[in-house]
Amino acid sequence: MTATADRTAEVGVRRRWAMLGASTLAQASTAVMVHGPAFLIPALHEQQGLSLARAGLVAAAPMVGTMLALVPWGVVTDRRGERLSLLAGLAVSVVLGALAALSGSVVLLALGLGLAGLAAASSNVASGRVVVGWFPAGRRGLAMGIRQMAQPVGVGVAAVSMAVVADRHGPYAAVWVPVVACGVAAVLVALVVLDPPRPATGSGVAHNPYRADRYLPRIHGVSVLLVVPQFVVWTFALVWLVQDRGWSPAAAGGLVAGAQVAGAVGRIGAGQLSDVVASRMRPLRWVTVAAVATMLLLGATAGLDAPVAIPLVVLATVVTVADNGLAFTAVAERAGPFWSGRALGVQNTAQFLTAAAVPPLAGLTVTSLGYPATFALAAVFPLAALAMVPVREERELS
């Protein structure tokens, strides 16, 4: 038995699940830090007198910071370990978030949130590496599916907390929500997370997986294409229900929130399925086919004002996020313990860039062609992704 196997055996099942819980909390808390400022826009507009455009810039600052820092944090994770990356990122997020909350200046608020986003990016990479490193292949898909719930859960927490605090006490007070969340996560990480075992590299130089074949770039490409229908639905489901279907904002918001919860559960289901069939790519291809069919049906039924369009928008929310955990797990498994940080950084950066482009471009399409056509056109992207899913190049899970 190798030293790596010895160390893996020393860590029991309960400790592994505790590390999964800590990693998921870390990812959820930083999701509140990065995505929560979007819920400050009404308060910044009404209480601080900012235009919606300027308020949007403040809200976007942490997302920009995160996008810029993903690959550098991947390098840190590969070279210095997951525990250090998580603790450093969470601790710096707490400090910078607190400074932003105490600043009393819109400019300093945006700057502080942007820098906090830089620090928060550590959990996007390192928390995934903890899960992949400590869980065996037969349980890794389920574990990563649970970890991938963190983003929608974090957005949900931000929606029900930061918006209320900002309305009652101002936008600066609301920033304390992610500060406290990141602080709690840092304590839990410090208590339970250990660096996963890594094999010796032999020559001291880890093999670059990108030079071996096109497997990783193809997964990145598939993920980028599948982000398009995901963010079309995320961005426009609520406004479609209000404008085209005549729903009240409260009722539409309730449906969208419920769909997000269903999407989070769907990620777990997709991960568990990949464990059962011992493949990440075959379920990824099935999800891609389902995304094509669902978006086409949603577009057609929305154009006909058919009642079935309502459950279809919920189904679309679930289907279009189910690929995330599958692709994330596959990237980490193929990249290996010495390159997965960087590979996951590339994966997330590509998705962030695409996600940022979708709302304005899809908004133009909605303005020109309407919601039904926009939903249907979004099916083109998963259709293009079908040919890119590297099913034949997948190796046996190990």
Side-chain angles (χ1 to χ4, degrees), residues 132-158:
V132 172
W134 278 117
F135 279 81
R139 301 294 287 173
R140 199 176 290 147
L142 172 63
M144 188 63 80
I146 294 172
R147 183 264 184 192
Q148 290 294 96
M149 286 181 62
Q151 183 183 22
V153 168
V155 172
V157 168

Side-chain angles (χ1 to χ4, degrees), residues 21-23 25-27 29-30 83-95 122-123 178-193:
S23 299
L25 178 60
Q27 180 64 31
S29 65
T30 53
R83 176 183 168 86
L84 174 64
S85 295
L86 280 173
L87 287 175
L90 289 166
V92 175
S93 294
V94 169
V95 173
S122 69
S123 69
V179 169
V180 172
C182 288
V184 172
V187 171
L188 188 57
V189 166
L191 290 174
V192 303
V193 171

Side-chain angles (χ1 to χ4, degrees), residues 40 43-44 47-48 162-175:
L40 305 182
L44 290 169
Q47 298 176 22
Q48 302 295 314
M162 293 184 71
V164 174
V165 174
D167 180 59
R168 296 179 180 177
H169 304 288
Y172 299 97
V175 178

Side-chain angles (χ1 to χ4, degrees), residues 65-75 118 120-125 341-342 344-350 352:
T66 296
M67 183 176 64
L68 294 174
L70 286 166
V71 173
W73 273 115
V75 175
L118 282 169
S122 69
S123 69
N124 288 65
V125 175
R342 279 163 282 188
L344 293 175
V346 172
Q347 173 83 2
N348 273 321
T349 301
F352 263 85

